[in-house]
Amino acid sequence: MLLFRCSRQVSITVKHKSHCFCVNFHRKNSSSVFSSISNVFGCNRLVEVPLALAPLRSALRSPLSTERSRFQHYSVAVSVGRNKAYSRKQPRYRYSCSELTQSRYTSASGKSEMCDKKTFQRLPTSVRPKHYDLTLVPDLKKLIFQGDVSIEIEVKEPITEIVLNAMNLYLKNVDIEGAGGSQTTEKVDMFPEEEIAKLIFANTLQPGQYKLKIVFQGTLNDKMKGFYRSKYTSPSGEERYGAVTQFEPTDARQCFPCWDEPALKATFNITLTVPKDLTALSNMPVKSTTENKETMTYVFDKSPIMSTYLVAAVVGEYDFIEDKSADGVLVRVYTPKGKKEQGRFALEVATKVLPYYKYYFNIAYPLPKMDLIAIADFSAGAMENWGLVTYRETCLLVDPENTPAIRRQWIAIVVSHELAHQWFGNLVTMEWWTHLWLNEGYAQFTEFLCVDHLFPNYDIWKQFVSETYTKALELDGLKNSHPIEVPVQHPNEIDEIFDDISYSKGASVIRMLHHYIGEEDFRKGMNLYLTRHQYKNTFTEDLWAALQDASQKPVGEVMSTWTKQMGFPEVKVSITKSKDGKGATLHMNQSKFSSDGSVHEGNYLWMIPISVSTSKNPSKEAASTVLKAKEGELFIPDIDPETDWVKVNPGTIGYYRTHYSQDMLERLTPALKNQTLPPLDRLGIIDDMFALVQAGHASTVQILKLLQAFEDETDYTVWSSICGILSRVSVLLSHTDCEEAFQVYQRNLLRKISKRLGWDPQPDETHLDTLLRGLIAGRLAWLDDEETTAEAKKRFAAHVSSGPKISADLRSACYRTVLRAGGEREFTTLLKLYREADMHEEKDRISRSLGAAKDSNLLAKVLDFAMSNEVRSQDTVFVIMSVAITRVGRDLAWNFYKDNWRKFVDRYDGGGLLTRLIKFTTENYASEKMAHEVETFFKEHKAPGTERSVQQAVETIRLNALWLNRDSDAIKNYLSS
């Protein structure tokens, strides 16, 4: 029997006698089957489908075909998996196969109900895993895997069923052994919506120790999650597949039945059986190998106790280079065949990072080896699996001729981030995903500590403010933001909090705390936290307790206001001369900042560390306090407020916006022009000012006038903030007829710095000067500047012929400039370069430049190219984004998403890539009409796991509309004058 749902993806449980297995149908391979059935029977009908139905026979091919061929009919039940893309207004139901057939194995859960209203529940506490013996045998031709797992469990109370996580797996046999003997399950119920299996036993399991043995089978999927396939090209040019795991947050259950929650830690013995010519890796070193006829079996050492999401296995063709860190850890970097030297930089970084963290945490890295491996198909940037960190190729590999300075810096940051997790996340793990920020926020803060130590010339803390801190504030000003600690339940909700709040805001408040309690006490507290809780799980309060014990400061009281409340404060400040004439009094008032300028109801209050600097000594704090109430005052000695300037939040460390009184801002303006203020203070002032402009507290013309004070600016981070502002205003004005006038304004503003930097590096220039040249060239690429265009064309012509090659630091800018100024010929040339490129980084650089074309016909080709087999799924999103950010491409990209929404939801199955795609194809609009269109579309076309991102995009569209209506006339008048 087939219980059919008209949906994009369905999970079909096929049963015969004592066997049950699951087949996922996707629209791309099942439309012919299901459309014909639905046309005859309609949706939600029970249909008996004979095996003779050719399309279904094809869809049900599996390794069990030899057994299946003996039977004429199967009972088939349809149930919905994690990916819930449904037709409009169509309810979701769950059915129990036991109601349809009598079998020892059944699927689904019983009564029909609206799954949107289903309350997600964590696993029962009656059973706890202690140890897994896991064997995986991937078949890289059939793209499936066989597995068996023996799990040592502790039963804590009398039970007749065991509930654990399993998804998209066929459980062949389930047995349990204990002191009272062994028994086979009476029945296995699969619940795809809840992603669990219930193992039901005839005899009661009494409290005690047991071994649960499960033989299972799964598919090496193409979703870049669970145990999945990764396509690569061999040195001989042949397309082949490897196998990779990606389990965070909740996809270990797609590889093996397990207790897939971070608090349910266990030890692991992992065995991989793979073809002889392939490399096999896991968390631990190889303990032994056994050579078989065509395969090799690798048995790995027992792991420390760890969470399931950190288990890892990789199978494929790789080269490696190795070295030992100063503290004796064997470090290897695995690369595609023939590219091992491209792993040299990452190896040098990793061997220095491990000893630094040992010193900083005063705890040694606990595993005997550390592997870093470049994966061809990878959805994230990297994943911190204990002892086997997986990376996108572009986040690990460096080619001296093709990798720009900013990419080398990024690789240093990513390696430092993932290795920080080996302590903060792996050794000590958050108890539940609500506390994800404990992993990610702290790792993001620590990566900057480490890179600053290893590469002081990067001046990385300044870049923290321009790249991390400001991103967090931008997102956190929305009404559809969320607290750092956000209650999450279903896996779809977890995916959405891997965002700038958990990462960037988390890192920003940790930085603020670090400053508040001081470096020495911070390190003591971190050691105390890690020592107390190593190999265990924690809550946020455990971190605060350790830091409070080390510093003797009210850390918990102060920091709970930052992690449990959504948003951040706006601090309005004014100043008066003190009555005794020996200083000044700073008057402060805090309220919740809102990006739309509205006043929030409710009792929002933060404990805000406030500090100030003055013109007497711009680089030193003159006074500090903690603002605990709605209003407060701070005495600043030895200044005259009528002649001296006062800068609030020096170093831009406090996580708040400063709203200066007009007289305070006027006194600061000359210090911006003459650069008396340090760079981070210059950056902080213009960033706060721009946020106030967007919120309607100041005019856009004010920020445009203020930016003209920066014509002589030389600092990369300040220019990074300025270019961000110019980009945002450009998007806004692309909805008006003064877009060209604003291009003239930008060219004038950038002219001095562009001439100072030139096109070629100087012998004595700094790392930040190199980054600045790429930044300014990248901005000019969008402005149709004649000099820039002429030089880019000249260099591009040499690049594609006899040389010299364009500097890697300027290549993206040149590609965009040439394409904007050209047409079909330049587009074809870039595609040729893309197809010839051997390095993923170069392919990325080219594909993300294609959206710069002005011709709508070319942009339509770019969108089609993005979905072609020439572009990996992980990169498709960024190619489309390159189109969506332009005026000409905006509507094309949005319509393209609407036309292909089912394909996108199917391809990405929720997760960060889909949320990025939705964000960038929608949020650059600026009208209530478009806000309503986007809102309505996603109500009718569900994209699970993106709900919050859609709300944020719609809110941003409405904010743009308010901003445009408020300021467009004034901007036009200013630019025309």
Side-chain angles (χ1 to χ4, degrees), residues 836-855:
E836 292 173 349
D838 182 40
M839 195 173 185
H840 197 151
E841 178 185 321
E842 178 68 359
K843 286 183 178 291
D844 258 10
R845 190 160 34 230
I846 295 169
S847 64
R848 297 183 188 197
S849 300
L850 295 178
K854 291 181 178 181
D855 187 309

Side-chain angles (χ1 to χ4, degrees), residues 431-572:
E431 194 276 339
W432 183 245
W433 299 102
T434 292
H435 307 279
L436 171 69
W437 88 279
L438 279 176
N439 277 18
E440 300 301 348
Y442 187 80
Q444 187 150 350
F445 170 77
T446 309
E447 77 195 31
F448 283 87
L449 278 177
C450 184
V451 171
D452 184 55
H453 172 77
L454 299 181
F455 302 95
N457 61 309
Y458 285 2
D459 217 350
I460 202 70
W461 279 115
K462 286 162 65 176
Q463 296 183 63
F464 177 94
V465 176
S466 62
E467 296 298 323
T468 299
Y469 171 94
T470 56
K471 282 182 182 177
L473 288 172
E474 183 177 357
L475 178 57
D476 210 20
L478 299 179
K479 291 178 180 177
N480 285 294
S481 179
H482 63 81
I484 285 179
E485 292 183 78
V486 55
V488 293
Q489 295 183 350
H490 196 277
N492 281 336
E493 300 172 33
I494 299 169
D495 282 334
E496 281 208 286
I497 63 169
F498 282 81
D499 63 5
D500 281 331
I501 301 301
S502 296
Y503 284 73
S504 299
K505 181 179 179 179
S508 296
V509 299
I510 287 287
R511 175 172 173 258
M512 181 170 63
L513 174 62
H514 175 269
H515 182 77
Y516 171 61
I517 68 176
E519 165 72 6
E520 184 178 349
D521 288 340
F522 187 83
R523 280 190 61 203
K524 286 180 183 176
M526 293 317 309
N527 173 261
L528 190 59
Y529 172 79
L530 291 170
T531 303
R532 281 177 180 173
H533 304 290
Q534 57 187 332
Y535 303 106
K536 298 176 185 175
N537 298 80
T538 59
F539 299 85
T540 296
E541 289 73 19
D542 296 317
L543 176 60
W544 300 155
L547 291 167
Q548 187 162 306
D549 289 347
S551 67
Q552 297 301 304
K553 288 187 176 181
V555 173
E557 182 183 5
V558 171
M559 297 309 293
S560 63
T561 65
W562 297 96
T563 60
K564 296 185 183 299
Q565 290 187 114
M566 184 178 77
F568 59 88
E570 171 187 347
V571 180
K572 292 183 179 178

Side-chain angles (χ1 to χ4, degrees), residues 359-376:
Y359 152 78
Y360 194 82
F361 299 133
N362 198 22
I363 296 174
Y365 173 69
L367 273 63
K369 64 96 173 176
M370 168 54 66
D371 293 334
L372 297 81
I373 185 166
I375 305 298

Side-chain angles (χ1 to χ4, degrees), residues 22-144:
C22 190
V23 178
N24 282 327
F25 277 96
H26 300 277
R27 195 169 187 85
K28 64 185 179 183
N29 62 13
S30 61
S31 57
S32 60
V33 180
F34 289 142
S35 61
S36 60
I37 296 174
S38 61
N39 287 339
V40 177
F41 298 101
C43 296
N44 301 323
R45 293 288 302 273
L46 281 84
V47 185
E48 183 168 345
V49 184
L51 195 65
L53 185 62
L56 187 60
R57 182 202 303 275
S58 175
L60 294 179
R61 286 193 184 116
S62 84
L64 299 178
S65 58
T66 53
E67 178 180 347
R68 188 176 63 245
S69 64
R70 287 180 269 158
F71 302 96
Q72 294 300 311
H73 291 77
Y74 280 83
S75 295
V76 180
V78 176
S79 56
V80 181
R82 181 182 298 174
N83 198 339
K84 309 178 191 70
Y86 292 87
S87 300
R88 181 171 66 175
K89 298 181 181 178
Q90 193 170 20
R92 283 175 281 184
Y93 298 99
R94 297 175 300 137
Y95 298 86
S96 172
C97 288
S98 58
E99 296 175 8
L100 305 175
T101 63
Q102 298 299 316
S103 174
R104 186 165 63 86
Y105 284 75
T106 61
S107 176
S109 64
K111 296 179 180 178
S112 63
E113 62 182 54
M114 289 290 290
C115 295
D116 281 329
K117 299 179 181 179
K118 172 71 179 175
T119 301
F120 179 83
Q121 294 182 341
R122 291 174 63 174
L123 295 173
T125 59
S126 54
V127 179
R128 283 293 180 266
K130 298 297 182 183
H131 176 75
Y132 295 79
D133 281 304
L134 173 64
T135 297
L136 296 171
V137 185
D139 186 328
L140 297 171
K141 290 190 167 77
K142 296 179 180 177
L143 300 178
I144 61 169

Side-chain angles (χ1 to χ4, degrees), residues 47 112 135 192 195 281 290 315 458 591 609 812 849 919 936:
V47 185
S112 63
T135 297
E195 303 180 6
L281 300 172
T290 302
V315 178
Y458 285 2
S591 59
S812 288
S849 300
K919 171 184 168 71
T936 301

